[in-house]
Amino acid sequence: MHSQLQQLMHKEKQVPGSVTYSIKRYAKEPQWNMDDIGMINYHVEKNNPDENYLQLRFCVSGNVYCREKKTECDFCKFSASKSCVEKVDSVDVLSFTFSPSYLKQFASGKKNATLSDNVLSFQHTTSFSKTLPLCGKTRLAIEALLNHTYTDSLENIFLNAQTQILLLYSMDCMMGDPEEKFTCKFLANSDDREKITRAREILLQHIGEPLTIKALSRKVAINECYLKKGFKELFGTTIFDFYQTQRMEHAKYLLYDKGLSVTEVSSLLGYSSISHFSTAFKKHTGIKPCELLLH
């Protein structure tokens, strides 16, 4: 199937002593309707241990690839440019292959070993594969991998940290309890979790068109109280703080990288006055917008 798709990016790398990973990004066709999915492959050969490995694979859609930046383009993503020709909706396929020598450090070594311990130490005797829909935490970790800007040794450190996070979530979700544990009981319903994830996507798409929580709850068809509580539990921040952080980070990008004026950025982000924008920017960054332009 991959040979029939328009490939936008292909990156492979081996982090020394850790993981071999591959990221392939493809142009998404408008008619495709895809569910994000993850897979864990455990391969063990008793008579040939050199062939043993644990692999995580993910297929996610809904991201935006920019040919200009070679990453997800914030300028397009936040709808600041309605007609950007570099913007491409993508389907992203990621794989991470871990060696036994790397994984054994995480096994507990206890006598009454769990299934996770047996897999990490390659004591589980049969190979298997297992799939399940992605939780919000896994999706965020994947987005971080797709959009980071680290290079060289810092990239290795970042990749090592993110792949360990993906390993943690995968082992927990795929091999632990089949149900995720939530403080908010309604989050046990996958439809409600999907609505809250969708709300986050809508916030990002309307970064220059402020939405009230009431309007947002209507768009995703969920109670306002559930939306606020569920968002905080899934993403670890309030809707307001998340939205403000994204707006100010985008403002920095528009000011510093794109060279727009304070007036232009204030207007693009939907502020009624430059002074309101400057106050919000300083509260988030510690400096005024005009001071950023002097750096």
Side-chain angles (χ1 to χ4, degrees), residues 107-126:
S108 69
K110 293 180 180 178
K111 223 173 190 181
N112 298 321
T114 63
L115 175 58
S116 294
D117 277 325
N118 285 333
V119 168
L120 291 172
S121 60
F122 282 81
Q123 297 301 308
H124 190 65
T125 56
T126 56

Side-chain angles (χ1 to χ4, degrees), residues 224-239:
E224 287 181 51
C225 182
Y226 280 11
L227 176 59
K228 289 189 288 186
K229 289 182 177 180
F231 194 98
K232 179 68 180 294
E233 182 161 350
L234 281 182
F235 301 115
T237 184
T238 65
I239 293 173

Side-chain angles (χ1 to χ4, degrees), residues 42-62:
Y42 172 76
H43 182 83
V44 60
E45 294 186 21
K46 184 178 180 180
N47 298 323
N48 192 8
D50 289 341
E51 297 298 318
N52 295 351
Y53 64 84
L54 180 73
Q55 184 182 64
L56 305 178
R57 295 179 63 85
F58 304 96
C59 181
V60 296
S61 59

Side-chain angles (χ1 to χ4, degrees), residues 242-286:
F242 170 79
Y243 188 60
Q244 281 297 94
T245 297
Q246 294 301 319
R247 295 179 89 195
M248 294 303 103
E249 288 300 312
H250 187 48
K252 287 197 294 184
Y253 166 71
L254 295 176
L255 289 165
Y256 194 76
D257 291 344
K258 301 304 293 185
L260 272 63
S261 69
V262 175
T263 302
E264 290 171 321
V265 174
S266 175
S267 176
L268 280 171
L269 294 183
Y271 280 89
S272 58
S273 70
I274 295 177
S275 62
H276 288 165
F277 166 64
S278 296
T279 300
F281 189 89
K282 185 174 182 179
K283 184 177 180 181
H284 177 76
T285 64

Side-chain angles (χ1 to χ4, degrees), residues 74-82 200-211 239-240 242-251 254 265-271:
D74 292 342
F75 195 63
C76 296
K77 180 179 176 183
F78 298 137
S79 302
S81 173
K82 302 290 185 182
R200 179 180 178 275
E201 294 173 356
I202 291 173
L203 287 173
L204 293 175
Q205 293 165 2
H206 292 79
I207 209 74
E209 307 163 35
L211 288 172
I239 293 173
F240 177 79
F242 170 79
Y243 188 60
Q244 281 297 94
T245 297
Q246 294 301 319
R247 295 179 89 195
M248 294 303 103
E249 288 300 312
H250 187 48
L254 295 176
V265 174
S266 175
S267 176
L268 280 171
L269 294 183
Y271 280 89

Side-chain angles (χ1 to χ4, degrees), residues 29 40 52 63 77 91 117 119 125 145 156 158 166 172 176 196 221 261 265:
E29 297 296 332
I40 184 169
N52 295 351
N63 292 312
K77 180 179 176 183
V91 174
D117 277 325
V119 168
T125 56
L145 279 167
N156 286 343
F158 176 80
L166 286 174
D172 186 36
I196 292 170
S261 69
V265 174

Side-chain angles (χ1 to χ4, degrees), residues 165-177:
I165 288 173
L166 286 174
L167 179 65
L168 168 65
Y169 294 159
S170 298
M171 297 296 287
D172 186 36
C173 295
M174 297 184 189
M175 304 186 65
D177 294 332

